[in-house]
Amino acid sequence: MLQGLDQIFYSGLMLSQEDEEWVHSNGIKVINCFGNTECTAMLLSDPEWKGMRAPLVPMDGTSYGFFPLPSTTENTQQNANSRLLELVILSSSKDCPDRSLRSADGHYHTGDLFLEVAPGKYVSRGRDDDWIKSENSLRCDTKAIEDNVRLTCPDLLEECIVVGNGRPSPALFVEVKDGLDGEKVKKDIIRRTRQFHARRYLHERISATKFVVVVPKNTLPRTATKGNIRRKAVEDAFKAELDHLYGVTY
């Protein structure tokens, strides 16, 4: 029945790798829609793309810009993350939010980041606040690390977050499940995520137990509304521990 439909439209979270492989192998046509609360639908997956993970293109009638993030010392030949672009809704676009929400340049900066994989075709790389900048100014995708930990270690932790802005490498804070030994949890996390980190840039890797900090459940500071862990607040609250971890002395 699904194969007989012209298209299946979905939005929100991306399909899992397994689901995408299934719809692709069965010839089911799916369209991914990317949007946000302020602007609603903005981008659609390219219907002409033949493979999986079709890139996104702006919807007809919109006026968007994909602007580079502030320049860094990154070498674009060595690190693809240096080519990150922010999706900006231009003031000339009919779906540009109210002036009270726009930046000083008059446009609405979404904070959503993309890579341009072909001219005018983009792949989502999360939000600007999902990334931290390492000591050497290279960017680190914290969300990818956190998602991998949640996927491989659901029996060990309640929640986790990656920090390390301005540090040589990231560190992982873990709210451990009740009754588990913290040191064993650290070793298990490193063991289960080793293959994932082996494929990452050196400045993005967590490869030693000393960079896994275990704390009791509900220890890490959260937002009052959604209860999300606040990355900057964690770095501030545990600054002394992080300084010791990275060997910072005053």
Side-chain angles (χ1 to χ4, degrees):
M1 181 179 72
L2 294 178
Q3 293 167 324
L5 298 176
D6 291 335
Q7 291 177 342
I8 297 176
F9 182 94
Y10 73 95
S11 187
L13 295 175
M14 293 182 62
L15 292 179
S16 67
Q17 181 75 18
E18 294 78 10
D19 288 341
E20 181 128 11
E21 289 175 353
W22 185 82
V23 298
H24 185 72
S25 63
N26 285 280
I28 299 171
K29 301 180 182 66
V30 294
I31 294 291
N32 177 23
C33 173
F34 180 93
N36 64 17
T37 303
E38 294 80 9
C39 307
T40 66
M42 297 183 289
L43 311 174
L44 295 175
S45 54
D46 182 4
E48 304 301 323
W49 194 263
K50 301 303 181 184
M52 296 194 303
R53 298 295 182 192
L56 299 162
V57 295
M59 296 179 65
D60 292 339
T62 59
S63 181
Y64 299 157
F66 289 83
F67 298 152
L69 296 175
S71 59
T72 68
T73 58
E74 296 176 73
N75 185 328
T76 59
Q77 299 301 315
Q78 296 178 356
N79 189 349
N81 294 337
S82 64
R83 301 193 298 272
L84 288 171
L85 306 172
E86 182 189 16
L87 170 58
V88 177
I89 312 301
L90 303 180
S91 58
S92 57
S93 190
K94 293 181 179 179
D95 59 349
C96 189
D98 185 77
R99 294 180 184 276
S100 62
L101 298 175
R102 302 179 192 179
S103 298
D105 59 7
H107 308 308
Y108 179 71
H109 290 250
T110 65
D112 296 306
L113 303 183
F114 295 84
L115 283 176
E116 188 173 23
V117 295
K121 303 180 190 297
Y122 304 91
V123 172
S124 175
R125 295 295 282 126
R127 291 189 51 78
D128 189 33
D129 51 13
D130 289 333
W131 295 73
I132 57 176
K133 188 177 290 187
S134 301
E135 184 180 55
N136 58 5
S137 294
L138 297 176
R139 289 183 174 270
C140 172
D141 184 356
T142 61
K143 187 175 185 299
I145 299 173
E146 293 160 2
D147 287 347
N148 178 257
V149 172
R150 295 187 186 105
L151 177 66
T152 57
C153 309
D155 56 319
L156 303 179
L157 56 92
E158 297 288 348
E159 192 50 277
C160 67
I161 193 165
V162 172
V163 301
N165 207 45
R167 307 284 186 171
S169 63
L172 174 71
F173 277 74
V174 173
E175 290 186 344
V176 69
K177 286 187 177 293
D178 293 335
L180 298 182
D181 177 72
E183 289 303 315
K184 186 176 186 304
V185 167
K186 292 181 181 183
K187 293 177 182 178
D188 286 343
I189 289 175
I190 293 298
R191 176 176 56 82
R192 296 184 191 183
T193 61
R194 182 174 292 116
Q195 186 175 1
F196 168 82
H197 283 282
R199 300 191 300 268
R200 304 193 67 77
Y201 293 110
L202 287 174
H203 71 279
E204 291 186 298
R205 296 180 185 177
I206 299 176
S207 55
T209 56
K210 74 173 185 176
F211 295 109
V212 179
V213 181
V214 171
V215 298
K217 184 170 60 176
N218 297 324
T219 297
L220 302 175
R222 286 168 163 79
T223 59
T225 52
K226 295 184 178 180
N228 296 328
I229 299 176
R230 298 159 54 207
R231 196 181 318 279
K232 180 65 166 59
V234 172
E235 294 196 344
D236 291 342
F238 291 88
K239 183 179 184 302
E241 289 86 343
L242 289 168
D243 285 346
H244 178 74
L245 190 157
Y246 292 103
V248 176
T249 57
Y250 297 96

